[in-house]
Amino acid sequence: MIKKSLITLSLITGCFFAPTKSATAQITSDSKMNAKVDEILAEMTIEEKIGQLNLLNPGGGVATGAVVSDNVQQKIKDGEVGGLFGVAGPDKIRIAQDYAVNDTRLGIPLLIGSDVIHGYKTTFPIPLGTAASWDLEMIKRTAEIAAQEATADGINWNFSPMVDIARDPRWGRIAEGAGEDPYLGSQIAKAMVEGYQGDDLTKENTMIATVKHFALYGASEAGRDYNTTDMSRVKMFNEYLPPYKAAIDAGAGSVMSSFNDVDGVPATGNKWLLTDLLRDQWGFDGFVTSDYTSLNEMIAHGMGDLQAVSALALKAGLDMDMVGEGFLNTLKKSLDEGKVTEEEITTAARRILEAKYKLGLFEDPYKYLDESRPKKDILSEENRAFSRKVAAHSFVLLKKDAGVFPLNKKAKIALIGPLANNKNNMLGTWAPTGDPQLSIPVLEGMKNVAPKAKISYAQGANITDDKQFAENINVFGPRAEISETSPEKMLEEALKVAKKSDVIVAVVGEASEMSGEAASRTNLLIPESQKKMIRELAKLEKPMALVLMSGRPLNISEESEMNLDILQVWHPGVEAGNAIADVIFGDYNPSGKITASWPRNVGQVPVYYSMKRTGRPGEAEGFEKFKSEFLDVDNSPLYPFGYGLSYTNFEYSDVKASADELKMDGNITLSATITNTGDHDGEEVVQLYIHDKVRSITPPMKQLIGFEKIMLKKGESKTVTFDMSAEDLKFYNSSLEHVAEPGEFDFFIAGSSDAEFENSFMLTE
């Protein structure tokens, strides 16, 4: 690819430019890889090539489907396996790698994959939480630590980051991504890929990143997992595809296809998606794996039998079949019948072998199996301390009307709620490599941080009283346990404790598995068992705050009307309790901002800040007939994208552009002065939004194009600047051309997306 670009440049300019030193090194590296892979492919039988396309799960870990592979040992020895996942530990992986290296004809090593979604053993907050920090360096560092720990346990390939744009909180997997915005999502996707892969995949502490789920998975209809999607190409390119593209541009080595269909063709067999777009337009040169049995599931989609869908997927550009063994069992037959070509099989095998080469596995198949590493690299005190820091930075202060936080460290506190002393729910969804019993619950954390506080605890309520709902939640273990003590008795005990306190802190919300994969909800309320408890505690009219845990935006309209503080803490990870205590006692001033809008009720969904203005736009306040409005609630969300309070206050002033005009080949600077006018030092996420007033396709009402997180001491001011060019104003038009069009642009710089436009500039030719 580099060679071609250099030759093209010399032909266009009529002169020759010598390759740079780094380009020469890359060409040399590619040449060595090509020579090695060519040598192996020349020796391989067609059956061995097909074997490289087979990814199996030996069982013992968390499976995301009903199928677990059988007879794995013999299949490896028979050269029928290219990689494994669901196995960890140098000792266990060494056994499997020995089979591949020593007991097969060509000795091709295995890829070892895993779902390392938000940390390995050192679990960080769920991704929706870390995104709320708006701290790209911190987010990148979480990926670096995850890679360090996972590779110490023998894993060299990660099924992360998930970069799906999600605007429907009914969809449980909103917990796994960065939220609703393509710009922020793109920045986080890039940071995560760079964190996992580093600058050299041959290092023992880096691993291949997998961008998922390609594509549009977060737009599943009704927010129901695995459901169909349907949208225009313009919406795809402008609003949903950018984070995948950013991850590819950052060098991601792998892509995972999604479960849904795209333009009526399941993603796993979609040639436009996996070849025309991903490879031909975006230049992706890694390999594509299916999601868990998504190849086989094309049968249920209505695309044919196993042989037909396997051939369809291969021809579309799928390289590896996860668990389903459709490639393994049908491709040879399809080749004999002329339904696929040997070149197509060879191309897919080449991509798998190239990944193994890039990891250095041909040079040393055991490079990730140093048995001294787990003890020193996994769950170190340093890693746990960083998890605590990340968690504190992810929390969002939604409401501070009661002025409860920060708490006095000598106060008499009633700590109440089913999540207040509960290890099982601290890690959050999709933490299969973490151990919940190593997590710090809230009660323990508060005692650690404020040993002189007088803390009395009562459970107060079950997470849910609905036995069937609890059973659905508890697939991976006890998350929503129903106490043998009656709800009435638990509430009575909680009220007794609360009456003797100075202040009430209620820790409430979702169990960890109420969000995540296969955890869609049509009801976004805090479960009624807990709402009853909150109502009764509020009647005591004592200073009261909610510490709210969830994997998604919830409908907390009722709670928001109460006189209390609300701190959203997501599911914070292994250091949950310590981090929560750091914030509620004021050792850290919360700085998080939500990255997915919170609805007033489920009927508003989807609601997001960048919705388009209609021909009959609704009013900001009040109701007007024959406008695009609801009869019963405002159009606006309860809490908008980018929103989050602080123990201090920030004032924005002197918002301006350096010029009234931006030329297509020029630059402009937009700036604002931010002042900390409160009584605490604090951090603020300064956000830049634009609105293209007139363009060839309807524009969003607002669009995030920049942000910066700053620290201000009380009384301190700082001017934040954003340098812009026409490149920052580009969009995909109806012909899918990436263009910037001349015209007037409104802009504002503020601490949330709900500010008003008061400034503008012109983009000119």
Side-chain angles (χ1 to χ4, degrees), residues 385-408:
F386 190 69
S387 176
R388 179 174 179 170
K389 179 179 179 180
V390 174
H393 282 69
S394 75
F395 301 160
V396 182
L397 185 61
L398 294 175
K399 196 168 180 285
K400 60 177 182 178
D401 295 358
V404 172
F405 293 147
L407 293 171
N408 186 310

Side-chain angles (χ1 to χ4, degrees), residues 277-293:
L277 178 64
L278 182 62
R279 296 193 183 279
D280 296 345
Q281 291 187 41
W282 290 359
F284 175 64
D285 63 357
F287 69 100
V288 180
T289 180
S290 74
D291 205 335
Y292 206 110
T293 66

Side-chain angles (χ1 to χ4, degrees), residues 415-598:
L415 179 65
I416 295 170
L419 292 164
N421 189 30
N422 185 320
K423 287 177 178 282
N424 287 334
N425 288 292
M426 297 302 99
L427 300 189
T429 186
W430 260 124
T433 53
D435 182 352
Q437 298 314 306
L438 297 178
S439 67
I440 307 296
V442 181
L443 176 59
E444 182 180 339
M446 289 176 68
K447 289 179 177 179
N448 290 340
V449 171
K452 294 183 179 180
K454 298 176 181 65
I455 303 170
S456 299
Y457 162 75
Q459 180 176 330
N462 294 312
I463 290 175
T464 178
D465 292 333
D466 185 329
K467 292 182 179 179
Q468 183 59 59
F469 189 39
E471 184 179 332
N472 295 347
I473 294 166
N474 293 335
V475 172
F476 295 143
R479 301 293 188 265
E481 297 178 274
I482 296 179
S483 174
E484 292 182 3
T485 304
S486 71
E488 293 77 15
K489 182 65 175 176
M490 283 192 289
L491 180 58
E492 180 184 328
E493 292 172 355
L495 292 172
K496 183 177 179 180
V497 167
K499 288 174 182 177
K500 296 178 181 179
S501 70
D502 298 328
V503 61
I504 301 167
V505 176
V507 188
V508 297
E510 291 188 313
S512 61
E513 299 309 322
M514 285 170 66
S515 61
E517 185 167 0
S520 298
R521 291 182 64 193
T522 61
N523 181 346
L524 299 179
L525 298 169
I526 296 169
E528 185 62 24
S529 56
Q530 300 177 65
K531 288 177 76 69
K532 289 178 182 177
M533 180 191 75
I534 294 168
R535 293 180 193 123
E536 292 303 312
L537 290 171
K539 289 178 183 177
L540 299 178
E541 296 186 349
K542 284 180 175 282
M544 180 172 166
L546 301 184
V547 172
L548 183 59
M549 290 188 185
S550 72
R552 54 161 54 87
L554 295 175
N555 169 13
I556 56 169
S557 294
E558 179 184 359
E559 292 74 19
S560 292
E561 292 295 319
M562 296 178 179
N563 182 31
L564 43 73
D565 291 359
I566 303 177
L567 181 70
Q568 168 66 16
V569 298
W570 317 105
H571 290 109
V574 70
E575 285 288 313
N578 287 333
I580 290 169
D582 287 340
V583 172
I584 65 176
F585 284 112
D587 290 349
Y588 178 74
N589 186 351
S591 62
K593 305 274 189 175
I594 56 175
T595 63
S597 302
W598 286 47

Side-chain angles (χ1 to χ4, degrees), residues 650-653 671-676 684 686 710 712 716-720 749:
F650 298 100
E651 182 179 289
Y652 285 71
S653 62
S671 62
T673 299
I674 298 90
T675 303
N676 182 342
E684 170 72 338
V686 182
I710 61 172
L712 291 174
E716 184 181 5
S717 296
K718 181 177 181 179
T719 298
V720 174
I749 299 172

Side-chain angles (χ1 to χ4, degrees), residues 163 165 178-190 242-244 246 704:
V163 303
I165 294 298
E180 72 184 46
D181 184 67
Y183 177 80
L184 177 62
S186 295
Q187 302 306 308
I188 291 175
K190 177 176 182 287
Y244 307 112
L704 179 75

